[in-house]
Amino acid sequence: VNPADLDHGVTAETVGQLIATVATVVHSESVSRWIVAHAAGITPGALLTKLDDPVSDTAVDGALALAARCQAGEPLQYVLGEWSFRRLEVSVDRRALVPRPETEHVVDIALEELHQLARMTAPVIVADLGTGSGVIALSLALEGSENDTIDLQVWATDASPSALELARVNLGALATSHPSAAARVTVAEGTWFDALPPTLTGRVSLVVSNPPYVSAAEWTGLDPVVRDHEPRTALVPGPTGTEALDVLIDEGRRWLIPGGRLVLEMAPHQAGALRARATAAGYVDVRVRPDLTGRDRTLVATRPHV
Ligand SMILES: C[S@@+](CC[C@H](N)C(=O)[O-])C[C@H]1O[C@@H](n2cnc3c(N)ncnc32)[C@H](O)[C@@H]1O
């Protein structure tokens, strides 16, 4: 849709009319609301109280341009350029995966483990490997030490320099809103554990990761909104889909303190094999935790004390 082809002067004089117009382009009322709120500078929560407010030509043009991108198949989150993740509002674009709700729940699980670890060790050193936009690392830095009660250090690493650029943008925003949380975060580039300084060997309390876990075959069948826009390297680690998870399990033990935890997001169908792999690798208290839809989503494993 060329925005100039739509006569917005007639079709959208109010916020409510603009939502209706955009909905005819994107075929979704809820997507339309996100777009109109963004283009008109209204918080999404306040939108429904402003349906009769007038909209400016700039807001109409902006909304129609965003709608055209959605209609062309781009993910809404990239079109908006921002998305919320737990307590964060983060910048998102093609440089990194769109943060998913499943991962918000993985952070809940990581926080539980972090608080247990804080009772037995200090400092608590966390490594979020494959940080992408930075959402896991930044959430743990923000929520893991309320009122500075825990001596917390968080590493945010990725093999992708462009993903790390985006993570740094989001870290910069956190530094403005919550400087003490942002000060806990160190960003480092490299493949999995290679990004960490060797001095951290055996000293990391919590390794958390949402690594790529889609097989090459599954990737071809993904929704084109995902497949054609999100970075393939953020989704596919290799032919089987478990290559990255295997490395994290196999190498993680060496980096963890005794009693340290591994918290890994995975696909539900990978749970059995990964649980067995973690047990064979010598971890103890190996657990699989469901996501909010009840599907196996997170592997939790502990490095034994001996
Ligand atoms: C599924 S995305 C997760 C991004 C973010 N943590 C999140 O949950 O939204 C996986 C991330 O792992 C990174 N990655 C892929 N291969 C890697 C490797 N060999 N070493 C480190 N990071 C890697 C990708 O660049 C991507 O940012």
Side-chain angles (χ1 to χ4, degrees), residues 112-280:
E112 282 176 29
E113 303 299 328
L114 189 160
H115 289 129
Q116 286 180 22
L117 288 158
R119 290 197 278 275
M120 63 182 217
T121 188
V124 175
I125 301 177
V126 175
D128 169 24
L129 305 182
T131 198
S133 60
V135 285
I136 297 177
L138 302 186
S139 293
L140 292 175
L142 178 62
E143 300 181 54
S145 180
E146 307 275 8
N147 307 318
D148 284 323
T149 44
I150 295 172
D151 179 4
L152 178 63
Q153 301 171 13
V154 181
W155 288 77
T157 79
D158 208 289
S160 157
S162 51
L164 286 183
E165 279 172 20
L166 186 61
R168 286 196 179 92
V169 167
N170 290 323
L171 177 59
L174 186 68
T176 305
S177 61
H178 297 86
S180 64
R184 299 183 181 116
V185 181
T186 306
V187 176
E189 185 183 325
T191 188
W192 304 129
F193 293 96
D194 292 354
L196 300 176
T199 50
L200 283 187
T201 312
R203 292 185 49 222
V204 179
S205 320
L206 175 66
V207 170
V208 58
S209 182
N210 170 21
Y213 55 73
V214 175
S215 73
E218 286 167 338
W219 182 81
T220 60
L222 288 181
D223 183 339
V225 175
V226 173
R227 190 194 60 217
D228 298 347
H229 297 274
E230 299 197 64
R232 190 176 191 276
T233 51
L235 293 161
V236 181
T240 70
T242 60
E243 290 85 348
L245 286 156
D246 291 348
V247 169
L248 292 164
I249 291 171
D250 294 352
E251 293 186 19
R253 197 177 154 186
R254 193 165 67 82
W255 289 86
L256 288 169
I257 54 166
R261 311 286 159 79
L262 200 56
V263 173
L264 302 177
E265 184 173 324
M266 65 188 166
H269 68 86
Q270 296 166 337
L274 294 176
R275 186 206 295 262
R277 191 176 189 104
T279 304

Side-chain angles (χ1 to χ4, degrees), residues 67-85:
R69 287 174 57 190
C70 275
Q71 195 202 28
E74 223 180 310
L76 171 67
Q77 295 88 343
Y78 287 168
V79 168
L80 300 178
E82 60 190 15
W83 201 240
S84 60
F85 183 92

